[in-house]
Amino acid sequence: MENIIRCDSLVKIYKTDDLEVMALQGLDLEIAKGELMAIVGKSGSGKSTLLKILGGLERPSAGKVIYNDTALNEFSEQELFGYRNNNIGFVWQKSSDNLLKYITASENVAMPLIFKGIKEKERRDRAHLLLDMVGLSDKYDSYPNQLSGGEQQRVAIAVALSGEPDILLMDEPTGAVDRKTSEELQDLFCRLNKEKGITIIIVTHDVSLAEKVDRTVMISDGKISSERLLDGEYSVLDKAGRVRLSKELREAVGINSNRVKLEIEGGKLTVVPSEV
Ligand code: ADP
Ligand code: MG
């Protein structure tokens, strides 16, 4: 299948006064056009950093993101701004990061269209259509604080879609809502993905979401360590052929040094703990 995004050896280093944090450590990832993908991983593993780089909010310290056939690192600030506005929609966990609280749901959704030079009547019509699509036909004129957490996230999705992006990036969008609301939002993501063919990438802690997507990638220490596809879980080799053995796997077979033996037998590769 055709890729919409390819990440090549992405590195991101954050420098603070007295230390450097390597949030991404040579991350490789391909995302197919129209894919519905989840990203999971412990806090601090680099998930949000990856989303910000994919969305052109931050630039990597090294490595590349290829969008269709274009390398984002070759974009000027102006071009990156255009990419963010025309190709990407963002939904964050916190409602206050998604919505302006002093304007209505409909005005929030219409806002990105102002910058595209669309006239007021058409902006309102389009905002209403988008709110219909996310199931909020009766909330056009409600202010964010008059809406439930789940409804606010629906408005946020409508805002993200109003610029007609081809990629929707969501950072823990169900992190602050209850179980039932989360399920309803998940059904909405699935529907948008199927009906509109939009590529959706969701960072989540929610295992029930992981069951509904085409693919779940696990990120640990700034790299993709494994992937779950419909037929099971796979470890991922990096470009140099390295594979990560998680702490759980190492403990399960008693690997407690930094050496293992690799043995080939009957078409299988076995990892044997070292005796010394
Ligand atoms: P996750 O979303 O998986 O919890 P993040 O991508 O937010 O992880 O962070 C990865 C690492 O980078 C963490 O150690 C975090 O503290 C660090 N980090 C993230 N953003 C910044 C920043 N703006 N300045 C300094 N360090 C940062
Ligand atoms: Mg995060």
Side-chain angles (χ1 to χ4, degrees), residues 3-5 31-36 54 67-68 82-90 116 160-169 192-193 196-201:
N3 286 334
I4 189 160
I5 292 272
I31 300 161
K33 208 165 258 176
E35 192 170 10
L36 174 58
L54 293 180
Y67 166 74
N68 288 323
Y83 167 77
R84 246 176 359 240
N85 282 302
N86 299 317
N87 305 101
I88 303 293
F90 285 102
K116 298 201 167 202
L161 291 175
S162 76
E164 303 189 315
D166 38 21
I167 305 179
L168 193 54
L169 300 175
L192 291 172
N193 172 254
K196 298 181 79 76
I198 182 165
T199 305
I200 302 186
I201 303 166

Side-chain angles (χ1 to χ4, degrees), residues 36 69 80 90 103 106 110 129 135 152 159-160 164 168-169 171 176 188 202 220 228 234 247:
L36 174 58
D69 291 320
L80 205 57
F90 285 102
I103 59 177
S106 167
L129 272 179
Q152 289 176 19
V159 172
E164 303 189 315
L168 193 54
L169 300 175
D171 201 346
L188 175 62
I202 311 171
S220 33
R228 191 161 51 238
Y234 293 86
K247 189 158 169 271

Side-chain angles (χ1 to χ4, degrees), residues 14-16 21-23 41-50 52 58 171-172:
Y14 289 111
K15 291 194 179 75
T16 51
V21 177
M22 206 166 169
K42 292 197 188 116
S43 171
S45 57
K47 303 179 299 295
S48 297
T49 303
L50 174 62
K52 287 179 198 155
E58 291 200 5
D171 201 346
E172 310 202 20

Side-chain angles (χ1 to χ4, degrees), residues 165-262:
D166 38 21
I167 305 179
L168 193 54
L169 300 175
M170 304 201 254
D171 201 346
E172 310 202 20
T174 62
V177 299
D178 63 47
R179 166 115 231 105
K180 178 164 168 288
T181 307
S182 164
E183 297 264 341
E184 287 165 4
L185 286 170
Q186 291 169 21
D187 292 338
L188 175 62
F189 309 151
C190 294
R191 185 159 62 79
L192 291 172
N193 172 254
K194 291 216 175 58
E195 288 175 9
K196 298 181 79 76
I198 182 165
T199 305
I200 302 186
I201 303 166
I202 311 171
V203 167
T204 186
H205 277 111
D206 204 330
V207 280
S208 67
L209 176 60
E211 283 166 14
K212 293 187 181 164
V213 297
D214 302 324
R215 175 166 68 133
T216 302
V217 306
M218 267 67 87
I219 177 166
S220 33
D221 301 326
K223 275 188 158 188
I224 306 298
S225 56
S226 59
E227 288 191 1
R228 191 161 51 238
L229 308 180
L230 293 173
D231 67 340
E233 192 157 330
Y234 293 86
S235 292
V236 172
L237 309 187
D238 74 6
K239 286 225 172 63
R242 295 185 199 94
V243 62
R244 179 174 183 273
L245 302 178
S246 66
K247 189 158 169 271
E248 293 75 26
L249 279 177
R250 280 178 278 144
E251 282 174 1
V253 295
I255 296 173
N256 39 32
S257 77
N258 65 349
R259 290 193 184 86
V260 292
K261 280 204 172 114
L262 299 178

